[in-house]
Each structure stands twice: as C-alpha cells, then as structure tokens.
Amino acid sequence: MTDPVLSVRGLSVTLHRDGVPNQVLSDVSFDVMPRGITALVGESGSGKSTIGLATQGLLAPDAAPLVTGSIRLAGAEVVGASAADLLHLRQKRVRMVPQDPLSALNPVMRVGRQLREGAGPGQRPEEWLPRVGLPDTARILAAWPHELSGGQRQRVLIAMAMMSGAPLIVADEPTTALDVTVQAQILRLLRQLANDQGTAVLFVTHDLGVASELADRIVVLYGGRIAEHGAATPVLTAPRHPYSRALLAARFDLAAIRTRPLPVTAGDPPGPAALRVGCAFAPRCDWALDLCRAEAPPLAAPDDAGTRVACHRTEEVQSAVASHGPDWPVVPEQTEAALHLTDVSLAFGALQVLRGITLSVRKGESVALVGISGSGKSTILRVVAGLLQPMSGQVTVKGGQPQMVFQDAMSSLTPWLTVGEQLMERLRPLRLPKPEASARAQQALAQVGLPPETARALPRELSGGQAQRVAVARAIVVPPAVLLCDEPISAMDVSLAAQTLNLLGQLRRQLGMAMLFVTHDLAAARIIADRIVVLDRGRIVEDGPSEEVAARPLYGQAREWIAATPQWRMGARP
C-alpha cells in the first residue's frame, strides 16, 4: 500500500497569548495520499490554517507553541525537528500558497528571480505563468511584488508552488481573491498536478462548492477538533455531524432559494481555550443533550462509507429532515431613485477605468455590481461615496451621504476606540444629548444582533463576525439612503457569509435603504440583489433582474462566470 505524503497523528497545539495558554488544536489525525487532495473546512477559528502552518513548522515563535503528536512529511518527522531540518523540508518537500500573497513575496526581489529560485528541475516560469492566468509573462517577471494586484500576486505564488516539484502543496484559501474563471483554471491545474505528478494537496477553504469539486477527502473542523472526516461524496451529501449539516445548509449557489433568509446556526464559534468541557458545538446544537455538554465525543470508527464522526447522536442527526424559515416580507416597490449616475467617466492617467456609466438605484432596491478584477466595480462605489471625483458626468444621491461597508471589517474599525465610541462618533454631527446618542448606538447594535455590552469592547476583542456586524452598525446608526458594500463576504467562511447576507437583506428592507453590492460571486449577487449589473472594462454590458441575469445572461463573459462558478456537482472534477 502506498505511504501517505502527509500523516498527522494525535496533533495538539497550544499557543500562548500574554502568557495564557490557548489550545487551538486537539487530537487531530488524518492522511494525505499521493495524487490526493484533502480539504480542511470549517468556520474561522476552527484550526484549519494552524494545521497548515504546523505541517511546515511555521507556528509563530512569539506564541510559544506547544506541539504534541506526530506530523510526518514525506517520511520525515516535523514535530521536534531542528531549524535546519525544517528549512530543508520547506525547500524540498512542501510549498505553501498563503492567504496573504503580499507578505509571502520578497518586496526587494523581482518576481522573475523569486520564481526561478523556487523552480524545480526543468521548470520555466515563462511556461507556468500563462497556465495560472498571467499571459503577460515579460511584464510579470520584470515586476516588483508591489506593482502587481492582489490577484496577480496570488497567481504568482500558485505558479511558484506548482513548479517547485515538492511532493506536498499546502494551499491556504488560495482562490479567495480570484475571479471565478481564474479560480476554475487554478482548480483544474491543482487536480492535473495531483494526477500527473503525484503531488499531494492539503487545501484549506471556506468554500464548500470548491471543496465538492476539487477534494477527494474532507476534514470538517470545529473548535480545534475533527467533527467529521471521510471521502468527499458521503461527507458532503450525507453528513452525520450536526455541524457538517449546518455548514451545508448555510452554503449558497446559483440554485439557492432567494425568497427567504439563508439558514444559519445561531451563535459564534468558540475561541481558543485552555480547557473545554464537553462537545464544543453543544451550545449551538439543536440535538445537544446533557451528555454532550459534559463529555466530548470521541472520533468513532469508520462507518460503511469510511466516514468517522465525533458525535453522541449520529443516527438522529442523519435521519433529521431539514426545516426552512419563512420568506422575506413583501416590501412595496419604490419608484423614486435614491442614487443616479449619469454618463460618469473616470481615468487614472492614460488608464480609462469608467466609461459613460449611467445607473439608477431606487429607494429600497439592491443592485449587485459584478465583473472581473479591473472592470470598475469598486471604483463606482468610491465615486458614489465621494472618495473619487469623476472626470465627467454627474452623481446624484438623495437623502444624505452614502455609507460604506468594506471587505476587511476589522481594519476599517479604529483600534483604540471602543465600539460604542465609534458609533457615537458617527452621531456627533447630529448634536444629540449624550443619553439619546447612547440609546441610538444601543439600538444600532440591537439591529445587527449584538448585545449591549458589545459597546464596551475594543475591535481586537471581537470575532470576525462581530467585527463585520459592528461595521454594519456604524454604517446604519444614522440610516443612510444608500449603503455601499465592497466585497463584504469574499473572505468569509460559509456560515458568516450567510449571516452577513441575511443581515444586509433584513436591514435594507427594514430601513428602506438602497444598496450597491460589489462582488465577484454571482451566487451571492443573485441572493442579495434585485438587479445584477455586469461590468466589463469600465462599461455596463448587462443590467437586468437578478434571477434572469444569473440564469440566462446575455453577455458572453457572464456565461463563462456561470460555467466557472463552483456548483454542487459531487463526483465532478475540474
């Protein structure tokens, strides 16, 4: 029998923060075989990226990591290895594609030199760059990392990993910043690399559609433990753990029901803890018993399909019938425009980024802007927000200054101000008495589902989901006529993305806001928007009802996006 390229046994990791131990992984075991692709899935904080870093001995030294168990990489033990041995492993046996491409490239070395230094025998960057969607090879090779876009840098790192010849590639959310067409291209390459060269891939993702198309095996993580583990098809089509079911219920694709809120699991994932009693999912689980709260279930022996599950109530979970909530309330359609752009054009030097944009958004209407990177989506938001001035044309906003919700909610919050102070700051122009301003701030927190004590927290004390809700609360504490959302869910796990889409859908109906929602995810656009506007090279090339555009787009490139969008096609491989 072929030996695994990566074998993880009983892996537990404790990190320290301010001297306090936090157990982030507990008793994790799995294998990745040659030609195999194993996907680690789960919400943010479940331990996915920690596993990826631990396999290479890259856990942050300042966290004083305590690692027990075994990680064998191509026959060599990683746990307890010397610095010299770890360096050799990272050079010869494993390559990583990290989530943050800028920090992974040397800023003082041209891209071409970095690619050539990491290339395996006989591999040429000029041949690999077009395969990852970078046909302008001469310009890319001569560029410094800061001269490339985030998506271009990510593709450079993917090419670097693929041409290295390493037996294992650890890919940590490698397609998050990419358009779906480029994403599909990368997924096909990873599958081809595994098939043709015998490369093993450990693929960290929050996108279950990607996992269903790419992975042979799935490891579902929650609270630093394995909840469910097995072949992709049974895990993703007949999940036996309540957390796996919750993840699958929250996913959305081009076939999702858009007339009702997406199903989500109440509560937040657990943070790292020195000691946790019982099943970590019990506080959020509809099936939890006293036994679940008192005793953590072991990972059971494989069932007939080879799946292992850590749950006291596996049979009840598997036989349960999914339930759906009520539809969204019907809101009378408004005819008055909250936002109107007339023949708006903008250029950065010789680069024309907007070309005669004419667009209206009615009060209470949601419009999604979709298109490939560089098509002008985010530029339109910045023009509407007044952050950029168009060269020609006119922008008319009725009802006050638009408010923006950014992609990275945490970095958009002022780190030294409490949540309450940041909400009160938005209210300052109204010159309200302090008790009234405080009440308004509390009301905004309640509208986004946060308890009153959140007002006393600093941003660093918030989870990712809480930070996103605070960012929305800050935008609506003075209800804007137009809410601008710039890729607010692109880096989120499926549960948090579903919660955010539900929250935005609820608030714009309650407050009657118009909304411009920028996304590269056509499935998200179909769910959140009444209309989808397709952009290409600064022009509007299609504008219509979201259901029609998502199902039967007229524009050729939009049809390519639909074909490339990950669907629930179990057994199909790119």
Side-chain angles (χ1 to χ4, degrees):
M1 184 176 179
T2 304
D3 292 332
V5 174
L6 176 67
S7 180
V8 179
R9 289 291 178 271
L11 177 64
S12 295
V13 175
T14 298
L15 303 178
H16 294 78
R17 180 177 179 180
D18 299 327
V20 178
N22 298 289
Q23 188 166 0
V24 293
L25 290 176
S26 179
D27 196 23
V28 172
S29 299
F30 65 91
D31 292 330
V32 186
M33 305 301 292
R35 294 182 171 82
I37 299 179
T38 295
L40 304 179
V41 303
E43 292 171 289
S44 298
S46 61
K48 306 186 300 295
S49 295
T50 301
I51 292 175
L53 293 171
T55 60
Q56 304 159 81
L58 287 175
L59 295 170
D62 59 357
L66 175 61
V67 182
T68 59
S70 173
I71 303 172
R72 295 195 66 81
L73 173 56
E77 180 59 54
V78 175
V79 176
S82 67
D85 288 342
L86 289 174
L87 179 60
H88 177 77
L89 284 173
R90 291 194 288 266
Q91 289 175 334
K92 301 297 183 183
R93 302 193 187 188
V94 60
R95 287 298 170 91
M96 186 170 188
V97 183
Q99 192 169 0
D100 180 5
L102 185 58
S103 63
L105 292 170
N106 189 331
V108 297
M109 188 185 295
R110 292 188 187 273
V111 169
R113 181 181 170 188
Q114 297 187 58
L115 283 166
R116 293 185 183 95
E117 285 190 354
Q123 303 295 330
R124 300 178 65 247
E126 293 83 356
E127 296 174 356
W128 276 96
L129 289 178
R131 298 177 71 181
V132 296
L134 295 172
D136 189 4
T137 57
R139 183 182 70 84
I140 299 296
L141 292 172
W144 301 98
H146 72 269
E147 294 177 320
L148 303 181
S149 70
Q152 288 172 328
R153 290 192 292 265
Q154 189 67 285
R155 281 173 270 181
V156 165
L157 285 173
I158 292 169
M160 192 180 297
M162 288 180 168
M163 63 191 288
S164 68
L168 176 69
I169 290 178
V170 177
D172 189 359
E173 302 278 11
T175 60
T176 296
L178 304 180
D179 301 313
V180 289
T181 49
V182 177
Q183 173 180 264
Q185 187 177 356
I186 298 304
L187 298 183
R188 285 193 297 269
L189 275 173
L190 283 171
R191 172 50 59 184
Q192 181 182 348
L193 195 69
N195 290 340
D196 296 349
Q197 299 185 27
T199 305
V201 180
L202 183 62
F203 195 92
V204 174
T205 183
H206 63 255
D207 191 327
L208 293 176
V210 168
S212 74
E213 288 197 338
L214 180 67
D216 306 301
R217 299 188 66 78
I218 302 290
V219 178
V220 181
L221 291 157
Y222 187 83
R225 290 180 176 269
I226 292 180
E228 190 162 356
H229 172 211
T233 298
V235 171
L236 295 178
T237 58
R240 300 179 64 193
H241 195 283
Y243 179 60
S244 303
R245 282 180 60 102
L247 284 179
L248 294 172
R251 68 180 172 86
F252 49 88
D253 55 25
L254 293 173
I257 299 172
R258 58 184 301 272
T259 58
R260 62 173 67 116
L262 294 164
V264 296
T265 302
D268 293 317
L275 180 65
R276 186 177 294 131
V277 177
C279 175
F281 190 62
R284 305 173 70 191
C285 181
D286 293 335
W287 286 275
L289 303 171
D290 290 342
L291 172 65
C292 304
R293 300 179 183 91
E295 181 180 323
L299 197 61
D303 61 13
D304 292 342
T307 303
R308 304 186 68 189
V309 186
C311 181
H312 291 303
R313 307 196 67 188
T314 301
E315 299 305 323
E316 294 94 329
V317 171
Q318 192 174 27
S319 61
V321 178
S323 60
H324 301 287
D327 286 357
W328 289 114
V330 177
V331 179
E333 186 176 293
Q334 302 286 323
T335 57
E336 184 180 357
L339 169 66
H340 190 71
L341 287 79
T342 306
D343 200 23
V344 170
S345 295
L346 178 64
F348 299 140
L351 179 63
Q352 190 79 24
V353 290
L354 296 180
R355 306 167 187 264
I357 298 293
T358 296
L359 174 67
S360 288
V361 184
R362 301 188 308 272
K363 289 183 176 180
E365 183 183 27
S366 175
V367 173
L369 304 178
V370 303
I372 63 172
S373 298
S375 59
K377 309 184 299 294
S378 296
T379 303
I380 289 177
L381 291 197
R382 283 159 175 73
V383 168
V384 173
L387 302 176
L388 293 172
Q389 294 299 316
M391 296 170 52
S392 61
Q394 186 175 2
V395 179
T396 303
V397 180
K398 295 183 179 179
Q401 178 68 23
Q403 290 297 314
M404 183 92 80
V405 177
F406 295 92
Q407 180 176 355
D408 186 349
M410 190 67 76
S411 65
S412 74
L413 300 173
T414 306
W416 57 85
L417 295 181
T418 67
V419 168
E421 289 170 337
Q422 298 191 53
L423 296 178
M424 300 275 277
E425 192 175 47
R426 279 271 291 120
L427 292 166
R428 190 175 300 163
L430 301 182
R431 300 182 181 278
L432 300 174
K434 189 171 182 179
E436 184 177 348
S438 179
R440 287 276 294 270
Q442 294 289 350
Q443 180 186 14
L445 289 175
Q447 284 178 301
V448 300
L450 291 174
E453 56 268 23
T454 309
R456 298 192 296 271
L458 290 168
R460 60 181 169 80
E461 298 171 317
L462 304 174
S463 68
Q466 289 169 332
Q468 187 64 273
R469 288 175 177 268
V470 167
V472 174
R474 186 178 59 181
I476 64 141
V477 66
V478 179
V482 180
L483 186 65
L484 308 174
C485 300
D486 192 4
E487 297 274 17
I489 65 167
S490 65
M492 292 182 179
D493 59 65
V494 62
S495 301
L496 183 52
Q499 290 177 21
T500 302
L501 290 176
N502 286 347
L503 173 63
L504 293 171
Q506 174 188 341
L507 289 174
R508 67 113 173 169
R509 288 174 172 87
Q510 285 181 350
L511 303 177
M513 299 181 297
M515 184 163 66
L516 269 182
F517 189 94
V518 164
T519 182
H520 63 256
D521 187 334
L522 203 57
R526 173 183 169 273
I527 288 169
I528 195 67
D530 302 305
R531 286 163 48 212
I532 292 177
V533 173
V534 182
L535 291 154
D536 185 24
R537 287 171 288 187
R539 287 193 174 94
I540 293 177
V541 293
E542 188 165 356
D543 181 351
S546 60
E547 195 71 79
E548 292 183 15
V549 174
R552 294 173 296 278
L554 302 176
Y555 185 60
Q557 195 169 69
R559 291 195 293 271
E560 293 177 12
W561 297 336
I562 289 178
T565 298
Q567 299 296 306
W568 211 243
R569 296 191 290 264
M570 291 309 308
R573 294 289 182 255

